[in-house]
Amino acid sequence: MAIKSRHCCTCTSFIFLLLPLLLQFYSAKSDLQLNYYARSCPNAEEIIKQQVIKLYNKHGNTAVSWVRNLFHDCIVKSCDASLLLETVNGIESEQKSDRSFGMRNFKYVKTIKEALEAECPMTVSCADIVSLSARDGIVLLGGPRIEMKTGRKDSKGSYLWEVENSIPNHNDSIKSVLSRFQSIGIDAQGTVALLGAHSVGRVHCVNLVHRLYPTVDPTLDPDYAKYLKMRCPSPDPNPEAVLYSRNDRETPMIIDNMYYKNLLKHKGLLMIDQQLTSDPTTSTFVEKMAADNGYFHDQFARAVMLLSENNPLTGDEGEIRKDCRYVNTH
């Protein structure tokens, strides 16, 4: 009885030690709410939406950039706009990482922020701009409308040193990718859905050639491999040259299930894409999403919402930056 009692006390002590951490985790998420700016800046979400639409009409690829920004910002520690910080005053930008290769259109975040500052100075966070611009960009790309909460604060620093370990590499094993997403609360089904964002945008040849040279990856469709070799004729492409292939040749600017249909035809661009069909943990979801675009959109919306709520800074943990590129100087 004494041994059982001692074990019970240890267990209870552990729960009490764990409780503050769990409360902190859930309180941060609960501080986010729908229409957070309803009183402080009632037009905030509409201003972001209209700016996203204007930018899309001028530069269609901005919508893809907003989706990629959300992923790169939120998976690295927190959804806190740390990605947007430039290298200055001791801060090392996350944009310097190899994982950020090919990212662009950061300058247009400033356009959105300036429109908000004109209406409601120092009110809407850059972190919420990242999330809401992705939400509105997804709609413009034919994806689902996502009810997204707001109230995030901006970080006071960057996490360049954490980027490599946080953002999966295109050559990583599916096991390690699933593990990474699981660590932020996204299950295998959600991970497969999130990778469906690869249905839009493009992949630079630098990230493709290892599947083409010196020999073609046997998991690639031979005719597709010939096309890719036309797009990427050199085994050692210049990273500065804009040599790329579209992720999806049929519907290159629509977030749809064509991505999964292509995977089943062995037309996945990246190693991580094609591995989805060979791993039993993910292959069933690939088949279901290839067969049902509505199911894919439902799971994509769920996964994006979870990603957008990863460990947000709230209250005094962060700040509202005046310029998304720099922390405030007090």
Side-chain angles (χ1 to χ4, degrees):
M1 286 294 289
I3 292 172
K4 186 175 180 182
S5 174
R6 192 161 61 245
H7 277 308
C8 193
C9 284
T10 305
C11 226
T12 306
S13 299
F14 177 73
I15 290 169
F16 276 114
L17 284 170
L18 197 59
L19 196 58
L21 292 172
L22 290 171
L23 287 173
Q24 185 179 8
F25 175 76
Y26 285 108
S27 68
K29 286 202 171 190
S30 66
D31 282 345
L32 298 182
Q33 55 189 264
L34 294 172
N35 303 312
Y36 176 84
Y37 298 106
R39 291 187 177 180
S40 59
C41 190
N43 296 323
E45 295 197 24
E46 184 62 24
I47 289 170
I48 293 172
K49 179 182 174 183
Q50 290 307 318
Q51 289 298 319
V52 167
I53 291 171
K54 282 181 187 177
L55 287 163
Y56 175 76
N57 290 334
K58 289 181 182 176
H59 317 280
N61 57 34
T62 52
V64 180
S65 295
W66 307 147
V67 179
R68 193 176 179 193
N69 282 356
L70 180 77
F71 171 70
H72 278 251
D73 186 52
C74 290
I75 202 169
V76 180
K77 199 164 184 177
S78 168
C79 286
D80 57 9
S82 60
L83 172 69
L84 303 180
L85 290 172
E86 295 189 356
T87 298
V88 68
N89 295 334
I91 286 176
E92 294 289 319
S93 177
E94 293 171 25
Q95 298 169 32
K96 291 170 59 177
S97 169
D98 289 343
R99 294 288 197 274
S100 301
F101 177 74
M103 294 187 76
R104 53 189 174 156
N105 293 321
F106 291 114
K107 61 187 176 184
Y108 296 124
V109 176
K110 188 171 185 283
T111 304
I112 300 173
K113 179 63 169 170
E114 285 175 348
L116 288 164
E117 287 296 303
E119 176 94 2
C120 314
M122 298 296 289
T123 304
V124 181
S125 70
C126 300
D128 279 339
I129 292 174
V130 169
S131 292
L132 294 176
S133 61
R135 179 190 72 178
D136 297 331
I138 286 166
V139 172
L140 292 173
L141 293 167
R145 169 78 180 178
I146 302 167
E147 289 299 314
M148 201 169 275
K149 294 178 180 178
T150 43
R152 300 163 189 80
K153 294 291 177 67
D154 301 327
S155 73
K156 299 174 185 178
S158 68
Y159 318 114
L160 175 61
W161 64 92
E162 294 197 22
V163 172
E164 293 277 327
N165 293 327
S166 299
I167 299 177
N169 187 16
H170 55 87
N171 287 325
D172 285 350
S173 70
I174 187 64
K175 184 178 179 181
S176 68
V177 172
L178 288 172
S179 174
R180 179 69 196 104
F181 280 103
Q182 184 67 52
S183 72
I184 61 168
I186 298 175
D187 58 16
Q189 185 175 217
T191 300
V192 175
L194 270 184
L195 286 170
H198 287 175
S199 64
V200 293
R202 60 193 189 177
V203 173
H204 286 259
C205 289
V206 171
N207 293 328
L208 282 179
V209 289
H210 65 287
R211 298 192 72 198
L212 303 172
Y213 305 101
T215 56
V216 173
D217 183 335
T219 63
L220 261 179
D221 173 81
D223 290 334
Y224 191 52
K226 288 178 185 174
Y227 162 76
L228 292 178
K229 280 193 167 186
M230 287 171 55
R231 298 293 305 174
C232 306
S234 168
D236 188 24
N238 178 1
E240 301 300 318
V242 187
L243 295 171
Y244 65 88
S245 176
R246 291 282 178 193
N247 284 333
D248 170 4
R249 293 167 66 191
E250 285 85 356
T251 55
M253 291 296 284
I254 300 176
I255 295 176
D256 61 10
N257 66 340
M258 188 61 71
Y259 166 75
Y260 304 100
K261 293 177 182 179
N262 286 334
L263 293 185
L264 294 176
K265 295 175 185 174
H266 299 280
K267 293 181 179 180
L269 275 186
L270 299 172
M271 280 295 298
I272 186 58
D273 295 326
Q274 202 55 59
Q275 284 183 69
L276 292 177
T277 62
S278 57
D279 190 286
T281 312
T282 54
S283 58
T284 304
F285 298 127
V286 171
E287 290 167 6
K288 285 179 73 174
M289 290 178 195
D292 187 342
N293 195 55
Y295 166 71
F296 160 56
H297 275 182
D298 288 345
Q299 295 308 315
F300 183 75
R302 179 180 70 90
V304 167
M305 189 177 69
L306 286 170
L307 179 65
S308 75
E309 294 179 9
N310 179 39
N311 194 29
L313 302 180
T314 57
D316 296 329
E317 296 174 311
E319 63 181 12
I320 306 292
R321 290 185 213 140
K322 182 174 178 61
D323 187 322
C324 294
R325 299 170 298 172
Y326 314 112
V327 296
N328 295 336
T329 53
H330 299 289

